[in-house]
Amino acid sequence: MTDQIREQMSALLDGELAPGELGLLVRRMERDAELRRAFGNYVLAGESMRAPGGITASPGFATRVSAALDDGEVVPNATPARAPRAAARFKRPLAGVAVAAGAALAAVLLVRPGTDGGSLMVQRAAPPAMAGVPMPGGASPTPAQTQRLVGFLVAHGQYASPIGRRNAWSNALAADPGINVVYEAAEKR
Amino acid sequence: MVRLSVILAAGTLVLAAPLADAAPPTARQWLERMTESLATLDYDGLFIHRFSSQSETMRIVHRVEDGRSVERLVSLDGSGREIVRTAEEVHFYMPDRRVVLVEPRTDAGSLLKALPAPGAKLDALYTLELREGHRLLGRDVRVVDVRPRDGYRYGYRLWLDAATAMPLRSEVMDGEARTVEAIHFTKLEVGEGVDRRALQPGVDATGFQWVRAARRPELRVAGAGWMPRRMPPGFRLVASRSQPVPGMPMRMQHLIFSDGFASVSVFIEPAPPKGPAPPESASVGSANAYSTQVQGHVVTAVGEVPAETVREIAISVAPVDAEASPAAAAPVPVDR
Amino acid sequence: MKTMANFPPSDGSTDGHEPRDGHERQASGVEQSDLELVRRVQRGERGAFDLLVLRYQHKVVKLVARLLRDPAEAEDVAQEAFVKAYRAINSFRGDSAFYTWLYRIAVNTARNTMASRQRRPLDYEADLNESEQSAVESRMRHGDTPEAAALSEEIHRTVNGAIEALPEDLRTAIILREVEGLSYEEIAEAMECPVGTVRSRIFRAREAIDRSLKPLLD
């Protein structure tokens, strides 16, 4: 029986587990430290074969991570939700003006006047929070505010020099605003 | 292995070989070559884009087809987002939202004419310096330092491939010589052999929602009613467009200014009836934006310039009488 | 030992390589299994995340150590990266491989650490390819604590010894899987045996290695 579970663990490592087998295996491994230890060694064997003598995590690493997740009561950010530290990308937030920018982008970013932008938008979870250097200034921008900037950057990029456009559009791609489709009267393909 | 393979096909590379006894090219000439190369060469590369303490791996593919640039910029770090500029349109793919945003392409006219060209006036605004560089990607490079003479613009350091003038590395620097943003190529292929298929989006957009403007925006001459009363030295209006906003009975103005190297866009839109909002600023990498309210409109200036520059531009924008405006007296006509 | 063409590792190990352009990527078995695990985490199964940690711990520690140029704090920063990934797990949408997403979090965590200590992070070295990567690592190994360097060596010798001692069919199977990155089906074809036999051989090879490693690491 134990052998069967361990063989499943080996198949899991290779991504060759049958779909039904995963649930039970995960639960068994959750309860059994010895299984986890063995799984860790299966992983280590592969790493060692590919990069002999290379840097690897120390034996207690995974246990420490698990403990950190337990201790700090770390909880995944809920979906939908707004993570507070998307601000690392911005010094100060844009105004809470909900009118959109850029021709087609406006259709996506637009919030109809007179309505509360927040309630119309379905937000998705923000990218991983960025720690590090604290930013001066006020609160983080909302996804709507970030969206505005992205729209502007794309429209602006068409007219910038090639280097400027590359920078502007790279920033637009990276800004990861969690764009939400608010206004849907656009043609579908 | 990181590598740079350069295949120079006849007619692809526009750079003229210098005569044996001609003076070596100046920094400005290197910049001009760089601008030309970026616009006229076909290339496919991978680069790291760094700003604040973030980094993102990206791929850029560029081809010239029928005298126009087509290009594709892809984020490789998991979001799957990409921007594809075809002959007619700009598509912004967002697989995470199953949306494609479409903007008509408006940089009409010939390839080189559309570029902010480092012209004679550049010397008044920037000092240019040429240095030797260590090799990058196995190639000889020349380093061009573009240092602003005032605080209204950023500095650049560009590592140009000695053979093609392509920027293998570029950094944007602020007034304290800190790097604000950097692009480092880790792989770059230049010349013929860039597959057209590499310009196809990597996203399968079946079932995505395509969002586009209702009407094609028109390019027209300045004097459409709003202009900055004061511009930082060196910036000139290079284009202006007025765009309808789908579903709304209002139009947005988009003015584009350039000092020959950096450019700034000004967007003007009617304010929502919510009430006045305080002025705000934002920045991402080397791009800064400033928004403010002027007479019932929201004015936003965006550009790869310092925050002070966009702020000054935005707060000086005001409605002007087309006849009385000095700017209208010397507009820059633009093609459709 | 019959070998197939040299495929890149299909276990999602993009360590040292740029995460590949989605245009060319095909979801491998490992990516599918990672995705399934992530879905479970998103539904509240913490245990599934622990498995992802176990799978990617070495890759992340190695990556972070390269970026920080200081192996000593690599584990702390790697731990931070995993914690961030867990917190942000609901924003992973499966458009790319899980490791690609995790890789980005780890890189950014390392860079934030460098930035907050006013140190310039490595530029190109984060994206070294395989051969340059091991050159960097061998330099760094000498900078390790003597204990850590000794342990790395010991692990290598132990794993190597265990593999050498395996019967040929087990050794072949594990090498084709871990080094050549072949799928079970590909290995079955190469070794002319059923897939179930491949699965069993690889398992028994790992068990043998585990028996050797256990006294070393406990």
Side-chain angles (χ1 to χ4, degrees), chain A residues 89 92 100 104-105 159 187, chain B residues 101-102 106 210 212 269 281 283:
Chain A
R89 299 181 192 269
R92 285 174 294 278
L105 291 162
Y159 297 90
E187 51 188 314
Chain B
L101 306 179
V102 181
T106 48
W210 288 70
R212 55 176 80 238
E269 55 199 332
S281 67
S283 67

Side-chain angles (χ1 to χ4, degrees), chain A:
Chain A
M1 183 55 177
T2 315
D3 255 16
Q4 188 183 41
I5 289 283
R6 290 171 74 114
E7 186 179 310
Q8 284 180 355
M9 256 179 14
S10 170
L12 168 65
L13 181 55
D14 299 325
E16 302 264 2
L17 206 57
E21 294 178 304
L22 184 61
L24 201 60
L25 181 59
V26 170
R27 280 192 285 283
R28 280 294 302 270
M29 289 180 72
E30 199 170 359
R31 292 196 308 262
D32 190 335
E34 166 60 23
L35 285 180
R36 293 198 298 275
R37 186 206 59 76
F39 187 74
N41 276 351
Y42 293 175
V43 173
L44 183 59
E47 297 291 333
S48 181
M49 291 168 74
R50 283 185 294 273
I55 292 170
T56 54
S58 62
F61 178 80
T63 312
R64 282 199 297 278
V65 172
S66 194
L69 293 178
D70 290 329
D71 275 349
E73 288 169 0
V74 180
V75 182
N77 295 330
T79 320
R82 178 181 15 132
R85 291 303 299 273
R89 299 181 192 269
F90 295 95
K91 294 205 195 95
R92 285 174 294 278
L94 278 175
V97 177
V99 183
L105 291 162
V108 170
L109 308 178
L110 196 60
V111 174
R112 289 169 215 197
T115 59
D116 174 351
S119 62
L120 260 186
M121 298 210 181
V122 175
Q123 297 174 347
R124 73 175 182 100
M130 297 295 163
V133 184
M135 291 297 162
S140 14
T142 63
Q145 292 162 345
T146 318
Q147 290 165 33
R148 265 171 62 79
L149 185 58
V150 168
F152 287 136
L153 285 173
V154 175
H156 166 72
Q158 288 214 58
Y159 297 90
S161 67
I163 292 256
R165 172 169 55 253
R166 182 169 309 165
N167 285 353
W169 284 2
S170 298
N171 287 323
L173 286 177
D176 203 8
I179 290 192
N180 310 286
V181 180
V182 176
Y183 180 71
E184 294 184 325
E187 51 188 314
K188 291 189 202 266
R189 274 211 197 158

Side-chain angles (χ1 to χ4, degrees), chain B residues 273-298:
Chain B
K274 238 195 328 188
E280 296 286 359
S281 67
S283 67
V284 184
S286 61
N288 282 292
Y290 192 87
S291 261
T292 186
Q293 280 223 345
V294 179
Q295 296 186 28
H297 287 70
V298 175

